[in-house]
Amino acid sequence: MAELAVAATIGSAIFGVGSALYQGAMSKDAAEAAARQDIRAGKNEFFAAQQVAKQRRLEGQLVLSRQQAAAAASGAGTAGDAPTITKIMADTDARMQYGIDSEIYAGRERQYDYIESAAARRKTGQYNFIGGILKGLGRGLDGIGDYAALDI
């Protein structure tokens, strides 16, 4: 019967160590997978912002083209001798560029937020892995203590 108690004590300690290490490793793997997903989401956010910026550029160019056509059709022209239309077109171009720059900036900021989230997830996963190692060590020492306490 004493042999059974010794085997159970040793088996319990080994199982406890293994499960703690496995839990820590799986937690780290899950955090890494979530971090990769965050990185992908950040890239997608920035790509979407680039697409919106391209669309804004096209829309702005269309507005500028219409302004130029309207000025030409009115006989006012668009050269330096027509400062009003030139100023209007310059203002339109500036607003278009501001919209493009704003969209790119916002996309980069959203991507940066995802990158920061990924870094935090990786750090949490690493801490969980280290915690699993320490928990396993504690369970192993606990098993040694239980073994030493047996009256054989």
Side-chain angles (χ1 to χ4, degrees):
M1 193 62 147
E3 291 87 17
L4 182 60
V6 169
T9 301
I10 292 171
S12 174
I14 291 171
F15 183 74
V17 168
S19 69
L21 293 175
Y22 181 77
Q23 181 182 11
M26 290 300 102
S27 179
K28 181 181 178 189
D29 288 349
E32 182 61 35
R36 284 192 305 270
Q37 187 175 1
D38 279 351
I39 294 295
R40 276 193 305 276
K43 287 179 181 179
N44 289 341
E45 284 286 337
F46 185 63
F47 178 75
Q50 288 176 320
Q51 296 308 307
V52 170
K54 284 180 185 177
Q55 185 63 33
R56 284 188 185 211
R57 180 175 305 282
L58 290 173
E59 290 168 358
Q61 289 170 341
L62 181 61
V63 169
L64 285 170
S65 176
R66 286 181 184 160
Q67 286 174 344
Q68 189 173 21
S74 72
T78 58
D81 61 340
T84 304
I85 191 65
T86 303
K87 181 176 180 344
I88 290 170
M89 290 177 70
D91 289 347
T92 301
D93 187 56
R95 281 192 301 264
M96 174 186 68
Q97 192 58 50
Y98 179 78
I100 291 167
D101 293 345
S102 295
E103 193 60 45
I104 293 295
Y105 176 79
R108 281 189 182 133
E109 285 299 305
R110 289 188 302 267
Q111 182 181 26
Y112 182 73
D113 289 344
Y114 277 108
I115 290 169
E116 287 296 308
S117 174
R121 288 181 191 268
R122 285 187 174 113
K123 190 171 282 198
T124 298
Q126 186 64 29
Y127 291 154
N128 287 340
F129 180 67
I130 292 169
I133 291 171
L134 295 175
K135 192 176 193 179
L137 179 62
R139 287 187 178 167
L141 293 173
D142 215 16
I144 291 170
D146 290 347
Y147 177 74
L150 290 177
D151 279 337
I152 302 177

